[in-house]
Amino acid sequence: MSFFKGILFGAGLGTLGGLLLAPRKGEETREKLITNTRELVELTDELNDNLTDFRESLVTLKGTFDTLVPAFKSGVEKDIEEFRFQAEPRIQQIQAQIEKINQALPQVEETTVIKKGRFSLERPIE
């Protein structure tokens, strides 16, 4: 907030300096100074109003966020738990089927085939 105050203060001083150094009659300079000061006050009030509205919007957004996020999080956690509950028996069934298939397959010794022309030689892998 001090940054905006500094900007407004600097703008006010610049305006005041420009008006005082401008070649005008005293009455015109005073009227211009009063007009510019009123405009500066209006701009400052408008800036404060906008900042207040922004702050209120942020508070509302935070309230909405604080309300929705826990509900969303618990819903996702519930869905994950339900998926695990449904998937776990299926995974166990698949693993059992794989084990049965592995047991039913004949045990084959791995060999290396070396080919030379029309001849081939099979050797066990050590």
Side-chain angles (χ1 to χ4, degrees):
M1 192 70 162
S2 62
F3 177 73
F4 291 114
K5 288 179 182 178
I7 288 177
L8 293 175
F9 182 71
L13 282 180
T15 302
L16 179 63
L19 290 174
L20 292 176
L21 297 174
R24 291 195 179 110
K25 293 182 181 180
E27 184 66 27
E28 289 177 15
T29 302
R30 282 189 292 277
E31 287 177 18
K32 186 72 170 168
L33 182 61
I34 290 169
T35 302
N36 286 345
T37 303
R38 285 183 182 147
E39 289 174 1
L40 182 61
V41 168
E42 288 174 9
L43 286 173
T44 304
D45 290 343
E46 185 178 331
L47 178 62
N48 284 333
D49 291 343
N50 289 339
L51 289 174
T52 301
D53 292 343
F54 182 69
R55 186 179 308 122
E56 290 171 0
S57 296
L58 285 178
V59 168
T60 302
L61 179 64
K62 185 182 181 314
T64 303
F65 182 81
D66 290 344
T67 302
L68 293 179
V69 168
F72 179 75
K73 181 180 175 187
S74 67
V76 169
E77 288 172 348
K78 182 180 174 186
D79 290 344
I80 290 172
E81 190 59 38
E82 287 178 14
F83 176 77
R84 283 184 185 156
F85 179 75
Q86 293 174 2
E88 191 63 36
R90 292 177 184 168
I91 292 172
Q92 290 174 357
Q93 288 173 348
I94 291 169
Q95 288 174 339
Q97 291 293 329
I98 291 172
E99 185 63 33
K100 285 180 184 179
I101 291 170
N102 284 335
Q103 289 174 357
L105 290 176
Q107 298 299 324
V108 177
E109 186 177 316
E110 293 185 33
T111 60
T112 303
V113 177
I114 301 172
K115 291 187 177 186
K116 297 268 184 173
R118 292 187 273 169
F119 302 103
S120 64
L121 175 66
E122 289 187 24
R123 288 189 176 177
I125 296 178
E126 298 176 6

